[in-house]
């Protein structure tokens, strides 16, 4: 889904510490790795020795990371939308010129 035009390639592969992502770094932008965020949170929640403070800190860190990731995805969507609008405008201009020269 997020491997772009490479439909025969997996977008990411699970690793022991999270995931290796192939393609644009939407989910690993700016050093904020969403896959590692989920892995870290799961590790704290799965650990019976985790204290309430550990869980609270892990959830707060995960929420912050997820918020940053959502912002990155929204910015990427915006950039792609702008490019699509430009392509639509160019297509309409081309169609208009095709009618003029027909």
């Amino acid at each position: 889904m997020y491997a772009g035009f490479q439909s025969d390639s997996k977008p990411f592969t699970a690793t022991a510490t999270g995931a290796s992502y192939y393609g644009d770094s939407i989910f690993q932008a700016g050093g904020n790795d969403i896959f590692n965020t989920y892995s870290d949170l799961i590790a704290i929640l799965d650990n019976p020795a985790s204290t309430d403070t550990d869980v609270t800190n892990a959830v707060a860190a995960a929420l912050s990371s997820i918020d940053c990731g959502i912002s990155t995805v929204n910015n990427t969507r915006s950039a792609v939308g702008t490019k699509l609008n430009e392509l639509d405008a160019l297509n309409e201009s081309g169609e208009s010129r095709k009618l003029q020269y027909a």
Side-chain angles (χ1 to χ4, degrees):
M1 176 174 179
Y2 295 102
F5 64 89
Q6 301 172 359
S7 59
D8 59 342
S9 300
K10 292 182 179 182
F12 62 88
T13 303
T15 64
T17 58
S20 292
Y21 184 72
Y22 309 106
D24 294 335
S25 298
I26 295 172
F27 299 108
Q28 297 173 323
N32 181 39
D33 189 336
I34 296 296
F35 297 114
N36 281 341
T37 297
Y38 285 122
S39 292
D40 293 345
L41 182 59
I42 290 167
I44 291 291
L45 294 174
D46 279 346
N47 184 356
S50 296
T51 65
D52 289 344
T53 303
D54 293 337
V55 172
T56 300
N57 292 338
V59 169
L63 288 175
S64 176
S65 177
I66 291 167
D67 284 342
C68 183
I70 289 171
S71 293
T72 301
V73 169
N74 286 337
N75 290 339
T76 302
R77 288 181 64 194
S78 176
V80 169
T82 300
K83 291 174 185 175
L84 287 173
N85 287 340
E86 186 175 342
L87 287 172
D88 286 342
L90 288 170
N91 190 33
E92 288 177 23
S93 176
E95 290 294 322
S96 174
R97 289 177 193 258
K98 184 167 78 172
L99 287 176
Q100 290 175 359
Y101 295 119

